[in-house]
Amino acid sequence: GVEKSGPHATRDSVGVRKIIVGEPFAFETGSSAWDIALLFLDTCQEDIEPVKMLEGEGGGDWIDQTKLPSRVSILGWGDSEDFCVSPYHATDYHDPIQRMDYDVTSCDELRWCNKGEENCDASRSLCMSTTNVASCNGDSGGPIFVELPGPAHDVVEAYRGDDGGEPRSLRLNSLDAAPGEGEEGPSVGRPKFVQVGVLSGGEVLPKDGSEEKDSWGIRGYVEDPEEGFRDEATAALLPAYTTWLKRHLEADECLAKSGSAVDDLFVNLSSLDWKSMDG
């Protein structure tokens, strides 16, 4: 059931042993600051290669955001019709899992951030925008990642077979070479995807930049999605939580069983060549 936004069966769920919620997170503020949590599964997933996370400079909680790439991707179900875009909640199809590309922007340029000084903490938030597709219900908490330049075969789309060839799922390999195939040695592969954030929320606005009447709730909508729209989204910026993440991951039993160290889950900005991505 994970290849579509619904319906999902309980038998397809994954057991969770422990959840550590970011502090001091306050849901009622609508801010992405500390809107982050660590989920420890009750069964170690030893056959899955983790996607590495971007850490703060020097292993701390600060990063020069001007050095981040200009585009990032969100992995989620998204919405391009009515359900999350219009206030009328028309009948909607179950959207397939998809990759949505966003432009990284200054938080000062987002309407939600400008509606209240506490809405966006620029030092801990990643602000983004895109057009004609929007993150939707169930996408919050999903990964925001950057793809590093490399072989095209590392992005694999699986299909149903003989039922028309519709995409069923999207798999993102975390390394551009399997262990033993890379240039760095028998057990190392170069990071292919790096997670930079965790999606918090979004606001749909008219594509032409005009103000839409905001009477349906704290977030905006558009009256007619077919006329085009843009989604302004905010996320928890992972490097800003490096210390917190490493402290709690130190106690991960599955990590200990794998023989890996906490630092193996992170990658430093200085080791990545993202200039070629933007130009």
Side-chain angles (χ1 to χ4, degrees), residues 12-240:
D12 297 325
S13 62
V14 177
V16 175
R17 175 172 52 85
K18 179 175 64 174
I19 301 175
I20 299 178
V21 180
E23 296 183 54
F25 173 65
F27 177 80
E28 65 273 8
T29 66
S31 171
S32 60
W34 286 102
D35 189 6
I36 186 173
L38 276 172
L39 278 67
F40 295 86
L41 304 183
D42 59 8
T43 302
C44 298
Q45 306 295 311
E46 299 175 355
D47 297 330
I48 298 178
E49 182 72 35
V51 173
K52 294 194 175 187
M53 297 173 281
L54 183 64
E55 67 178 0
E57 295 186 19
D61 295 331
W62 182 84
I63 192 169
D64 183 354
Q65 294 194 39
T66 64
K67 295 181 180 179
L68 294 175
S70 60
R71 288 181 68 78
V72 295
S73 299
I74 295 175
L75 191 65
W77 293 291
D79 190 49
S80 58
E81 302 100 21
D82 289 341
F83 186 71
C84 287
V85 178
S86 165
Y88 304 114
H89 298 295
T91 300
D92 191 32
Y93 299 102
H94 292 300
D95 295 282
I97 194 77
Q98 61 182 299
R99 171 177 170 171
M100 298 166 281
D101 294 328
Y102 279 70
D103 294 317
V104 176
T105 185
S106 168
C107 292
D108 293 336
E109 298 182 11
L110 298 194
R111 191 185 78 146
W112 172 248
C113 295
N114 287 314
K115 289 181 71 174
E117 60 181 19
E118 297 182 355
N119 286 353
C120 298
D121 180 349
S123 67
R124 293 189 176 276
S125 302
L126 181 66
C127 294
M128 308 156 287
S129 65
T130 193
T131 57
N132 298 334
V133 67
S135 54
C136 193
N137 296 347
D139 290 340
S140 297
I144 299 173
F145 60 91
V146 173
E147 179 181 3
L148 303 178
H153 69 265
D154 293 311
V155 180
V156 181
E157 288 192 55
Y159 293 89
R160 296 184 185 279
D162 297 327
D163 61 352
E166 296 182 1
R168 183 182 63 185
S169 63
L170 183 65
R171 187 175 81 244
L172 300 179
N173 292 347
S174 61
L175 305 178
D176 73 356
E181 299 175 6
E183 297 179 357
E184 301 179 40
S187 61
V188 179
R190 175 179 172 274
K192 175 61 178 173
F193 295 93
V194 176
Q195 186 176 356
V196 298
V198 176
L199 182 64
S200 180
E203 180 176 37
V204 175
L205 299 168
K207 191 175 182 180
D208 60 11
S210 62
E211 289 291 329
E212 189 77 6
K213 186 176 180 181
D214 189 18
S215 59
W216 300 93
I218 62 173
R219 302 284 184 170
Y221 294 97
V222 294
E223 293 292 326
D224 186 0
E226 293 185 0
E227 293 182 357
F229 59 89
R230 74 178 188 276
D231 181 40
E232 296 185 347
T234 58
L237 179 66
L238 275 187

